[in-house]
Amino acid sequence: MHETVKVTPVLEDYLEAIFNLSRDERGARSRDIADALNVHKSTVTSALRALKQMQLIHYSPYEAVNLTEAGSKIAADVVRRHETLRGFFTDVLGVDPETSEKAACGMEHSMPREIVEKLAIFAEEVRDHRKQEKAE
């Protein structure tokens, strides 16, 4: 992958879905990706071709999809941002899980990493403070 390649938020969603579906090391199937993202299989095929061209996945029609090392790094970063935001909304702000999930999905692509990192630190401090209060 070239340093100048920019992965769009939509393609980040595909990488995230492949990452989550591939946890058992068998890879992700197009049908499962379509179900996870609530899109048509033909849409998945177009996205997979683009990700393959960017060298972010290993893909052949009718075969399981696997992330390349570069794709795995991007996907893991997206997942980390998503989980950080969802956890912040749920654990710190007290937002219900379903709303937190939807908000995290929308914000994980647009929020600068610096802010996500600071939210993660703040959330951890809040959790630690709450643990101390319970212990007292």
Side-chain angles (χ1 to χ4, degrees), residues 2-17:
H2 297 84
E3 294 294 322
T4 58
V5 172
K6 175 78 171 114
V7 181
T8 66
V10 170
L11 292 180
E12 282 185 346
D13 283 340
Y14 280 88
L15 291 173
E16 181 181 18

Side-chain angles (χ1 to χ4, degrees), residues 4 18 24-25 28 49-50 55 57 59 64 66 69-70 78 87 90 94-95 98-99 110 112 117 120 123-124 131 136:
T4 58
I18 295 165
D24 64 5
E25 298 182 18
R49 287 181 181 146
Q55 299 177 357
I57 62 169
Y59 166 69
N66 290 290
E69 186 177 334
V78 174
T90 304
V95 177
E98 185 177 334
T99 303
S110 60
E117 294 304 323
E124 192 59 37
K131 286 179 187 174
E136 295 174 355

Side-chain angles (χ1 to χ4, degrees), residues 95-119:
V95 177
D96 70 90
E98 185 177 334
T99 303
S100 294
E101 179 67 23
K102 288 178 184 176
C105 281
M107 296 176 75
E108 68 194 12
H109 308 292
S110 60
M111 187 167 288
R113 281 170 180 74
E114 177 185 5
I115 293 174
V116 174
E117 294 304 323
K118 290 183 187 267
L119 285 174

Side-chain angles (χ1 to χ4, degrees), residues 54-110:
M54 297 168 80
Q55 299 177 357
L56 298 175
I57 62 169
H58 300 289
Y59 166 69
S60 296
Y62 311 109
E63 297 293 326
V65 179
N66 290 290
L67 297 166
T68 63
E69 186 177 334
S72 187
K73 286 179 183 177
I74 293 169
D77 184 57
V78 174
V79 168
R80 183 187 52 74
R81 285 184 276 147
H82 182 104
E83 291 173 353
T84 297
L85 290 167
R86 184 184 59 220
F88 180 81
F89 300 146
T90 304
D91 301 341
V92 176
L93 300 180
V95 177
D96 70 90
E98 185 177 334
T99 303
S100 294
E101 179 67 23
K102 288 178 184 176
C105 281
M107 296 176 75
E108 68 194 12
H109 308 292
S110 60

Side-chain angles (χ1 to χ4, degrees), residues 119-134:
L119 285 174
I121 292 166
F122 181 73
E124 192 59 37
E125 289 174 2
V126 170
R127 287 184 199 106
D128 289 346
H129 179 72
R130 288 180 179 164
K131 286 179 187 174
Q132 285 180 335
E133 283 182 336
K134 285 183 180 180

Side-chain angles (χ1 to χ4, degrees), residues 15-27:
L15 291 173
E16 181 181 18
I18 295 165
F19 183 89
N20 289 329
L21 291 166
S22 298
R23 291 184 189 235
D24 64 5
E25 298 182 18
R26 290 184 296 183

